[in-house]
Amino acid sequence: LAQAAKKPMTPAQPAVWGPRELDYAVHDLAVQWSAQSSQLLIACSSFIPEASNFVEVLSVGIEGRTEVQAARRLPHYYPPTRVRWLGSDLLATSGDCLRIWSASGELQRLLRHEANPQARCTPITSVDASIESPSSTVTAGVQMVSADVYGVCNLWDMETGTMQQAIDLGQPL
């Protein structure tokens, strides 16, 4: 044991993928393993002042060192504030609205925060979800919550795409 304590520890070298140069600032990201394609999917939200923004989904092959590939870009007018994978086939993004995308990049739902003191659509600053089954490919079993700049949290029924309850936290988020 005394001999082991004297030997310097050498950490294992982590794999480095890339380089992948991005032409935008990344504001938020979410990671999802795709068993179907055996790749890691990384959703990166852009922050580009005074321009249209997007969420870029990058794919990385885990076996060996492979190039990072841009899989698709999901359009956003305002900078996306949060990105979250919902199960294996859906991605939630927030900004001016809450958007639910298929893994192939098709917009599935557009949800607005209208239960706030200003009675209008307002920037969504946070989104999270609880998923019953990580392999779920449909919205059944997904419980979602989002919060806006006024501190109003919305609880969503993702199966129907409707807001179930709004909770005013009384402070901005």
Side-chain angles (χ1 to χ4, degrees), residues 84-142:
R84 296 290 179 264
W85 287 101
L86 308 174
S88 59
D89 289 341
L90 296 173
L91 179 68
T93 64
S94 65
D96 55 332
C97 298
L98 185 61
R99 291 172 173 83
I100 309 299
W101 305 87
S102 69
S104 63
E106 296 173 21
L107 183 62
Q108 301 292 304
R109 290 220 164 91
L110 183 66
L111 308 171
R112 300 183 189 283
H113 259 236
E114 294 172 339
N116 62 61
Q118 305 333 20
R120 64 178 179 223
C121 186
T122 184
I124 299 169
T125 57
S126 185
V127 62
D128 207 352
S130 173
I131 303 162
E132 287 181 17
S133 170
S135 63
S136 174
T137 59
V138 294
T139 54
V142 176

Side-chain angles (χ1 to χ4, degrees), residues 29 55 58 67 82 137 139 147 170:
L29 59 88
V55 172
L58 306 173
E67 195 172 308
R82 294 288 181 259
T137 59
T139 54

Side-chain angles (χ1 to χ4, degrees), residues 139-156:
T139 54
V142 176
Q143 304 298 318
M144 181 172 260
V145 64
S146 57
D148 65 27
V149 295
Y150 297 110
V152 176
C153 291
N154 284 352
L155 305 175
W156 299 95

